[in-house]
Amino acid sequence: MNLRTETETSGGDPDYAEFARPGESRNDPSEMRRSLEGWLASVLWRGSKPSVTSVEVPAANGMSNETVLFDATWIEDGIRAEHRLVARIAPRDSAVPIFPSYNLDQQFRVMSAVAAHTSVPIPRVYWSESNPDALGGEFFVMERRDGEIPPDVMPYTFGSWLSEASADDCSRLQQSSVRVLAELHTMADPHLALPELCRDGAEPTGAEALRAHLEDQRRYYEWATADGPGSPLIERGFDWIEANLPADAGSAVLCWGDSRIGNVIYRDFEPAAVLDWEMATLGPRELDLGWMIFQHRFFEDLAAMAGLPGMPDFLRREDVAEAYRSLSGHEVADLDFYIVYAALRHAVIMFRVQSRAVAFGQAELPDNPDEMILHHKTLEAMLDGTYWESLATATLTTASVATGDAR
């Protein structure tokens, strides 16, 4: 997510509404409608007579998979039934994708397995299509569910239905979101249900899964920087992670991977659908907890930069850890390590996002490549061990000013 805007680079106040999502849309709705209708006819039974009645390509499409919303009808048991659907499509290489590969079929299988073996609310998944001919890339089709999603643009901490909710409703959403992780992590034998997530087919320990995950992140960083400069800060971060790997990472569970509230559809502050499983992996439970906490800190720090009150009492690390312990019985360990690891992983993604913006002429390459990372100051402070201390100091200062006690 690139927040470097024309206003910011010209010396004015940054316009945090603008997120760079460069990419080419393959989506002429009328052509998409014809393609989807023809494809449905090929996967449904003879005599179903499918009809695609509407197609919508969201203006703020995703930075990874492309999303198409469509309504379709077909004949089932002699009755024409209506279906509200979503197609998730892999990006073309020419769109300078965020990740080196998009295994949509794996996402389909992960969602199917989670729906079958846990109570996590997963939209029904209908089909996975590896042939790119119909929509220009591999894709899968799932049920569309209604509800509210904490926005990325502008960040929900900047003012949204969530930030304006009552303290009780925010607490309810926080608790129910952590419950998703606790329920997901109860899935028995994920290495058997999803052997493609195992390197050698055997069940890994938490330490083995964490090591494999770290190696994947290193390869991702090497890919993301293959055609341009690297980041000394990210490389320092990898060194820090190696030096601070937990001695005991516990057992390996199925992790959502992209465990942030912006990937959840909520109804009445409870999850109605958990989305975006492209980062699913086997690993320690704390991978998901650290990512959820850091993703909120990322938006919270942006709100502070913009001089906004944000949501300082929401998804605090100690509250998330306690909620998870009470829901799962698991004592959370080494959480600060996993939060730093989340900040490092996000830094690689942000570096790639900014590189993508440069490739599309929406940003200039800075003299200091670390400035490609929107949250580089946060990551620096975490690596220095000063982040939480400085955050506490800032909170106390704000409280003192609010009560008139500042000296």
Side-chain angles (χ1 to χ4, degrees):
M1 287 167 283
N2 168 35
L3 303 191
R4 186 183 299 275
T5 66
E6 181 179 350
T7 304
E8 181 179 5
T9 55
S10 64
D13 294 330
D15 178 3
Y16 293 98
E18 293 299 325
F19 281 66
R21 294 171 181 263
E24 60 183 35
S25 175
R26 63 190 76 170
N27 305 318
D28 174 349
S30 60
E31 180 61 32
M32 181 70 70
R33 177 180 172 277
R34 287 190 292 270
S35 296
L36 283 167
E37 204 164 84
W39 177 80
L40 283 171
S42 73
V43 296
L44 289 167
W45 45 93
R46 184 174 299 178
S48 58
K49 298 181 179 179
S51 173
V52 174
T53 56
S54 70
V55 173
E56 177 186 352
V57 181
N61 222 317
M63 291 192 299
S64 52
N65 302 322
E66 191 167 354
T67 300
V68 175
L69 313 178
F70 67 103
D71 296 330
T73 67
W74 58 80
I75 296 173
E76 296 176 307
D77 299 324
I79 300 172
R80 182 165 287 277
E82 298 181 354
H83 302 269
R84 302 174 66 250
L85 304 169
V86 179
R88 301 298 300 273
I89 314 169
R92 292 172 173 165
D93 290 341
S94 58
V96 192
I98 300 299
F99 299 109
S101 63
Y102 290 80
N103 192 335
L104 274 294
D105 186 62
Q106 179 172 294
Q107 289 186 54
F108 177 89
R109 293 195 301 273
V110 167
M111 294 177 72
S112 298
V114 172
H117 298 290
T118 77
S119 59
V120 174
I122 300 291
R124 176 183 175 183
V125 287
Y126 284 85
W127 304 281
S128 175
E129 179 58 75
S130 60
N131 189 328
D133 290 349
L135 301 182
E138 66 170 311
F139 64 95
F140 68 88
V141 174
M142 64 182 178
E143 166 194 17
R144 187 159 92 245
R145 292 188 180 176
D146 293 325
E148 295 181 292
I149 300 175
D152 290 344
V153 185
M154 294 180 38
Y156 61 84
T157 54
F158 281 44
S160 65
W161 63 269
L162 180 55
S163 66
E164 295 169 4
S166 69
D168 286 346
D169 284 338
C170 287
S171 177
R172 182 179 181 185
L173 186 142
Q174 174 178 290
Q175 187 78 1
S176 64
S177 301
V178 177
R179 185 181 300 115
V180 164
L181 302 185
E183 293 177 353
L184 173 66
H185 297 163
T186 65
M187 181 173 167
D189 299 321
H191 65 291
L192 298 180
L194 296 162
E196 59 268 34
L197 299 182
C198 303
R199 290 196 171 182
D200 56 7
E203 180 180 10
T205 64
E208 291 168 340
L210 179 58
R211 166 58 62 183
H213 193 273
L214 178 56
E215 291 173 1
D216 285 342
Q217 294 303 300
R218 282 190 178 277
R219 282 192 291 271
Y220 174 42
Y221 170 68
E222 292 167 0
W223 172 83
T225 58
D227 299 325
S231 163
L233 179 60
I234 289 175
E235 290 162 15
R236 177 188 165 203
F238 276 119
D239 291 342
W240 188 96
I241 293 296
E242 287 284 0
N244 291 276
L245 278 171
D248 180 9
S251 59
V253 300
L254 177 62
C255 293
W256 177 7
D258 200 1
S259 50
R260 63 188 191 91
I261 62 171
N263 285 334
V264 181
I265 297 174
Y266 293 92
R267 292 190 202 132
D268 196 21
F269 299 92
E270 297 274 351
V274 179
L275 310 173
D276 292 331
W277 293 83
E278 66 260 33
M279 293 166 62
T281 187
L282 298 182
R285 301 162 183 255
E286 288 81 3
L287 273 179
D288 273 345
L289 293 168
W291 190 258
M292 179 174 281
I293 293 166
F294 171 74
Q295 288 297 319
H296 175 67
R297 287 304 328 158
F298 176 70
F299 279 167
E300 189 65 15
D301 290 346
L302 291 181
M305 288 167 56
L308 298 172
M311 300 178 66
D313 297 327
F314 184 65
L315 288 177
R316 296 185 298 186
R317 58 177 176 164
E318 59 272 19
D319 295 340
V320 170
E322 174 56 27
Y324 188 85
R325 186 203 63 75
S326 66
L327 289 165
S328 68
H330 174 79
E331 293 292 342
V332 176
D334 302 300
L335 187 54
D336 282 357
F337 166 87
Y338 288 97
I339 294 172
V340 176
Y341 187 35
L344 175 63
R345 293 164 55 201
H346 195 60
V348 181
I349 294 172
M350 290 292 96
F351 198 89
R352 177 61 178 175
V353 168
Q354 191 68 7
S355 298
R356 194 175 187 243
V358 170
F360 280 87
Q362 296 187 337
E364 294 183 1
L365 190 67
D367 294 334
N368 178 4
D370 289 341
E371 293 179 3
M372 302 267 280
I373 304 162
L374 183 60
H375 62 288
H376 65 275
K377 292 183 179 179
T378 292
L379 180 55
E380 287 170 356
M382 285 185 173
L383 296 177
D384 290 339
T386 61
Y387 178 76
W388 298 107
E389 177 184 343
S390 62
L391 185 64
T393 301
T395 301
L396 287 172
T397 300
T398 302
S400 296
V401 171
T403 58
D405 294 335
R407 299 293 184 263

